[in-house]
Amino acid sequence: MREPVDLRRQRILAAVQARGSARVRDLAAELQVSVVTVRRDVEELTREGRLLRGHGVVRSTVPAREAPTGGLEDADRVAVVVPARHSYLNEILHGARTVLDEAGLRFALHIAPQAAGAERPLVERALEDGARGLLIAPRWRSLAAEEADHGWLAALEVPTVLMERRPRPGSAPHGLDSVCSDHWYGAHLAVEHLVGLGHRRMVFATREDSPTARSLRAAFTRIAGEHPLVEDWAWALSAPDAGQEGPYAAHETAELPALLRKVGATAVVLHGDVDAVMLVQRLAADGVRVPEDCSVVAYDDVVAGLATPALTAVSPPKAEVGRVAAELLLQRLRGAPETGGAVRRVELLPRLMVRGSTRRIDDAADDSGDGSRDSSSGGSTDGSTE
């Protein structure tokens, strides 16, 4: 005997309210009806204002603190903590949310202000509110800030996955699960691309106020220093406000155009996109053409493709980092046997997006031995240094 429509819809409503959210196909399996039938019921309940519909997911309109509790789904509630004003992490958040939505889990997003130690009180509050798992990307603008967070992060008693953060070997949080981009490989892609185009003198400009910046600085230093085809290179801060601390404070911080001339560089790699776009604008104002006089590679690929010319960029797998981190957290929450209890440190490889800001060096011009590259006069002279 077919179940009355009103009764079936009441069961759907009760199931979603009990969990906060649920997948349409899971509801169909539980009620032993077709997905099409559940979708039709959900549409009607949404029209009545009793449910909220997403992509394959249904949410309750009852506030979380008013919804009935109990069951595995309530225990799977998670918190996501990320820094404010960090566009790079937007794609990571999107990837994580896609997985959590698909799993029908409730989660709360917490934005940490730009202040040292801002993440800890947010995490503590989230745990007090019932979060049973944590996805977190601490700001860590300095080594000191990172070390200050080591103790309390390692002491958390809920499954925790670091996103785009790699704790130092032997540090307290080294035993936490983490998912991040392999930034050494990203630096390798940039250098090999430029070397393949004939560039032999380069400048690398990174920030010094993030874990990614510090990883990139170390990677460029090693790769360029050991590469048999790189004749000369230098490192600089990508912008005056990029931070200057730690073991690299004594390195070159001159204005980039002047440093490009000093090195005789024909290419530059900049972290991140915004600093790269601004450098291209400064060079254009000086009559330096990109890529004719100078090749530019950006690192991050958040807005690089919108510049003029569109910038060749190393593109870390941002959305994939969020997706894999969320999947790992779900495995921990559900005690999935495939994790085996072992800590997982996942590294995903970036890609190189070749666009209009890099070109092959003209062999004839490169072999002419024209010393004007090292001169301070002439627009093309400035450009050749990037």
Side-chain angles (χ1 to χ4, degrees):
M1 180 177 178
R2 180 175 297 178
E3 181 179 40
V5 174
D6 289 345
L7 178 58
R8 186 178 64 243
R9 290 177 180 172
Q10 285 297 325
R11 292 177 63 195
I12 291 174
L13 187 62
V16 176
Q17 288 180 342
R19 305 172 190 178
S21 63
R23 291 183 294 186
V24 169
R25 66 169 178 262
D26 290 343
L27 292 170
E30 292 174 17
L31 299 174
Q32 296 184 337
V33 296
S34 70
V35 171
V36 173
T37 296
V38 173
R39 284 176 179 161
R40 186 165 53 243
D41 291 340
V42 166
E43 287 178 2
E44 180 60 25
L45 290 169
T46 300
R47 188 185 67 78
E48 295 174 0
R50 305 171 77 183
L51 290 178
L52 298 174
R53 187 177 59 175
H55 295 293
V57 178
V58 188
R59 300 184 186 283
S60 173
T61 58
V62 179
R65 64 178 65 250
E66 297 178 14
T69 59
L72 177 61
E73 292 79 9
D74 184 63
D76 277 352
R77 195 184 329 165
V78 301
V80 182
V81 180
V82 296
R85 301 181 186 178
H86 205 312
S87 58
Y88 179 96
L89 291 173
N90 288 345
E91 292 182 52
I92 293 179
L93 286 175
H94 177 74
R97 179 173 184 174
T98 298
V99 172
L100 297 174
D101 277 348
E102 182 70 13
L105 300 182
R106 286 185 288 171
F107 69 95
L109 175 63
H110 301 268
I111 306 296
Q114 300 189 57
E119 290 84 5
R120 183 172 184 175
L122 293 178
V123 171
E124 292 174 346
R125 190 175 309 132
L127 297 182
E128 290 174 358
D129 290 342
R132 303 303 175 87
L134 175 65
L135 295 174
I136 183 169
R139 183 176 300 278
W140 287 354
R141 298 189 68 173
S142 67
L143 291 173
E146 178 179 341
E147 292 171 353
D149 285 343
H150 282 179
W152 69 267
L153 273 174
L156 291 175
E157 296 181 353
V158 299
T160 299
V161 181
L162 295 169
M163 300 186 298
E164 206 61 287
R165 299 293 183 261
R166 184 186 293 102
R168 291 185 296 105
S171 64
H174 190 235
L176 294 177
D177 291 316
S178 64
V179 180
C180 59
S181 304
D182 185 340
H183 294 302
W184 183 94
Y185 185 73
H188 165 79
L189 289 177
V191 173
E192 289 299 327
H193 174 64
L194 293 172
V195 167
L197 294 176
H199 298 279
R200 299 293 182 262
R201 294 171 174 265
M202 308 173 191
V203 165
F204 307 108
T206 67
R207 305 190 66 84
E208 183 53 24
D209 55 4
S210 76
T212 297
R214 294 193 292 274
S215 296
L216 283 174
R217 196 277 169 186
F220 283 130
T221 297
R222 179 175 177 182
I223 293 170
E226 297 178 353
H227 202 295
L229 296 180
V230 175
E231 297 175 1
D232 197 8
W233 64 276
W235 171 81
L237 291 174
S238 57
D241 64 345
Q244 183 175 330
E245 60 176 281
Y248 311 132
H251 281 261
E252 182 68 69
T253 59
E255 283 291 309
L256 277 173
L259 181 58
L260 294 169
R261 289 193 297 270
K262 177 180 177 182
V263 175
T266 59
V268 62
V269 184
L270 288 106
H271 174 245
D273 289 3
V274 172
D275 292 334
V277 171
M278 294 180 68
L279 177 67
V280 171
Q281 294 171 175
R282 287 169 56 197
L283 293 175
D286 290 339
V288 179
R289 302 168 301 168
V290 174
E292 291 82 0
D293 302 324
C294 159
S295 287
V296 176
V297 177
Y299 198 103
D300 276 355
D301 201 28
V302 176
V303 296
L306 303 178
T308 303
L311 301 182
T312 293
V314 176
S315 182
K318 298 174 281 293
E320 187 73 357
V321 167
R323 187 186 69 79
V324 173
E327 289 176 346
L328 179 53
L329 182 62
L330 293 181
Q331 292 173 6
R332 294 295 188 197
L333 288 168
R334 294 170 176 173
E338 57 264 32
T339 63
V343 172
R344 292 191 171 187
R345 306 187 72 197
V346 181
E347 291 192 344
L348 305 175
L349 300 185
R351 295 183 300 163
L352 181 71
M353 310 302 292
V354 179
R355 301 189 179 102
S357 65
T358 54
R359 72 185 290 270
R360 183 174 299 279
I361 289 180
D362 185 285
D363 290 337
D366 192 45
D367 293 339
S368 66
D370 186 353
S372 63
R373 289 186 186 276
D374 296 318
S375 169
S376 60
S377 62
S380 62
T381 300
D382 266 353
S384 69
T385 61
E386 215 182 8

